[in-house]
Amino acid sequence: MRIIRFVLILFVAFCSCFLHAEEEQKVIKIGLIHFSPPLSKDMDFTPTLHYLQKELVPWKVEAKVYSSADLEKAIKDGTIDFFYASAGFFYRMLSFGVRDIATVVTAEKPVPNFGTAGAFITQRDRKDIKSIEDMKGKSFVANYETAFHGYRIGMADLAFRGYDPDNFFKSKRFVGESADKLLKEIVERKADIGFIRACWLEEHELQNIAVLDKIKVISPISGPVKCLHSTRSYPNNTFASTRVVNHDVAKKVSAALLSMKPSASGQYWSLATNFKPVDDLYRVLKAGPYEYMNQWSLRRFVLTYWPLLALLVLTVIGLAAHSWRAQRLVDKAKAELLEAEEKKNKLQKQATELTEKMEAQHKLNLVSQISSIFAHEMNQPLAACQYLVDGLKALNKRNPKEVNPEILSFSLENFEKELKRATAIVNKVRQYARKQACRNQKVDFSACLAEIIQTMKVKYSGKVHLHDDFTKDIFIEGDRVEIEILVWNLVKNAIEGALEGANPTVWVSLRTCKDEIMLQVANSGRVFSAGEVEDIGKNYLKSSKAEGLGIGLQVIKSILEAMGTSMKMQAREEGGLVQSVLFAKWSDNDND
């Protein structure tokens, strides 16, 4: 019996050893993506690997580091069971049947949904770069173009801010995975802006590599990631299963990870529940699962512009349905247009007839007005002529045989001058009647004003103080006779107004300002209220003088309206009025 018992024990022991040996042959293969050193606590998979190797006995757990491209190939080929990579890499692999199992958590990154971010960096002494906007147009350096932590997070952040990542920087360069090389590019000013994953700078400081005294983070923000960063946060590094792993094995590995207590470095595992930020990142960059957005095809065209295509189809149908009705309306509209055109021609004919009547009436008004001017103004030259004739008669009667040549010459010269003035007034009336007024002549305003003031000084000598202030060679565009009549009436009205008060005084000034000329005639006299000044401007045809016709102001107004200007009348605080008129300065260029 003892021999049989011994044989049975040996058989059981042999079977146990055989089964145990068979169990040891089961291998769990884990692919680890290569992270650029220095590795942070959430990137160092060593504590978790040791933990899984103990928890999953008798299974053998193996881990191998892959480049991004090689890890993607291993997942596609089904040569690994699990992999550990960034959330961005995991999300790109969803189309190959992968499934997230757990997300790493550390003291610096305690929230799995928001465990990774990026930082834009530059030289600490750069005063010209303080914000994201300041980075525009600068040179840029990063690790490599497909890096989720070290490039794409930053470019997506620029896109979310409304910038075009492809054209935001003046230039872009990629220096590979070396952190030291990237930092050296910034410190030595070979590049203005760099981009790194959050906590990279702090990890250098923990390893006694001083960088924060040379580097600064641009526009740092606060958030769940307890390191300096410039961008929004994304889920932390993810542990995922591939499509080839057995569901029992996936269950055991998942349970082991979620049961793992914090390691000495503070690493443990939880679950990320929101990968939409990663999806938004790839969508805005048109990369990863949305790379097709950069490639046009008939399917993409239809999917992208189907609302427009649907609208186009509906438009065509609507046009087809509307065309028959439109044709029917064309004839009706044509008839209405013809009727409207006929009415328009009739109205135009009526308007033309009315215009001709108005012009005729205006002509009559002008003739009437100029006739009044004739009666008003002709008195001066005719009175002067009569004065000269009477003087010559008196001299001739006193001594007909001896006439002083100088007196005769003076009398004839002034007689001729006054006759010419009377003739000019008569001709002006005839021109108005024939609508031949010519107001585009170059008139020496200063000479005209000087002549009239000199005449007024002689006429009112000892009665009024007449002061003038103007320079020579001031020219305006107009008709000389009209301007003489205008100035004569302005100055005469001012003198007559001044004579109503004590110490009668008149001031006449002519000043130029850029392209305008201002004539200002002021006089002393009684004090006027605002209402009285307004009444003077309205009641043109009334005169307070016994011999006056009451048309002086009407003449002034008519001439100014014909010249395209007007007169401003104000009361002086000391008494009297100020009459101001603006004229356009003569320009030889405008009248070539």
Side-chain angles (χ1 to χ4, degrees), residues 254-296:
S254 176
L257 287 176
L258 296 176
S259 300
M260 176 180 170
K261 295 181 179 180
S263 65
S265 62
Q267 182 186 107
Y268 65 101
W269 295 85
S270 183
L271 289 173
T273 59
N274 183 16
F275 283 89
K276 187 178 184 303
V278 181
D279 183 79
D280 293 340
L281 177 146
Y282 282 122
R283 183 185 294 273
V284 77
L285 293 180
K286 299 178 182 178
Y290 296 100
E291 192 170 359
Y292 72 89
M293 296 177 69
N294 291 315
Q295 302 171 353
W296 284 101

Side-chain angles (χ1 to χ4, degrees), residues 528-538 568-572 576-578:
F528 289 87
S529 66
E532 289 177 318
V533 174
E534 185 177 357
D535 289 339
I536 293 175
K538 291 180 179 178
K568 182 178 181 182
M569 186 179 296
Q570 294 175 301
R572 295 178 71 245
L577 297 172
V578 179

